[in-house]
Amino acid sequence: MPYLIDFDATNRILRSRLIGRVTDDDLRDMYRFGQENVARLNPLSGITDFSEVTEVAFSPQTMRDLARTEPIMPDPRRTVIFVAPTPDLFGMARMFELEGADARPNLRVVHTAEEAYQLLNVQDPQFSPF
């Protein structure tokens, strides 16, 4: 499985980390898993971290399609952050942000996890497997 999902219960942050080679199916599976399971955690914010992606094997169209679907965190007041360290991933994440802006007005794209934690005012998150 090229993704891991964990949760910081203290700060109520849901984090998805994509790892290695990531395909269209991997993104769809991760997104579907999030939609089916996030309600029971009731996170205040979410991070999707692309830092460990070694091969982008997913298409811009998949990112657009996912951006047009129901958000994983349906409350638009909740902050969602994409960590995208490389230019190609940053571009894909920005495309998702722009395409889904109406449903996700608090989605931000940053280059590092540290930037994400700063945006969330979190010093030392403690994530546990979900």
Side-chain angles (χ1 to χ4, degrees):
M1 176 169 37
Y3 62 87
L4 298 172
I5 298 177
D6 48 22
F7 186 65
D8 173 353
T10 302
N11 298 295
R12 294 181 45 206
I13 303 169
L14 180 69
R15 179 177 67 174
S16 303
R17 293 184 301 142
L18 294 131
I19 300 166
R21 182 178 191 270
V22 179
T23 67
D24 293 318
D25 287 339
D26 297 329
L27 282 179
R28 286 188 206 99
D29 288 346
M30 182 189 71
Y31 202 87
R32 187 173 22 258
F33 180 86
Q35 287 177 314
E36 293 169 356
N37 293 284
V38 75
R40 65 182 158 167
L41 292 175
N42 192 26
L44 294 177
S45 57
I47 297 173
T48 300
D49 190 344
F50 291 88
S51 296
E52 297 178 71
V53 172
T54 58
E55 183 182 348
V56 176
F58 56 89
S59 70
Q61 187 59 49
T62 296
M63 291 296 277
R64 284 198 265 319
D65 292 346
L66 290 174
R68 294 179 189 136
T69 63
E70 184 71 28
I72 289 174
M73 293 194 323
D75 185 341
R77 296 171 295 179
R78 307 277 167 104
T79 300
V80 176
I81 301 171
F82 281 9
V83 177
T86 63
D88 57 338
L89 289 168
F90 197 88
M92 291 273 213
R94 285 283 293 138
M95 182 176 48
F96 184 97
E97 178 186 25
L98 295 172
E99 193 69 39
D102 291 340
R104 299 167 190 84
N106 287 317
L107 187 136
R108 304 291 179 260
V109 180
V110 298
H111 289 99
T112 68
E114 290 75 26
E115 289 176 271
Y117 302 143
Q118 286 175 352
L119 282 173
L120 297 174
N121 291 318
V122 174
Q123 298 270 344
D124 186 28
Q126 299 297 310
F127 291 98
S128 299
F130 176 66

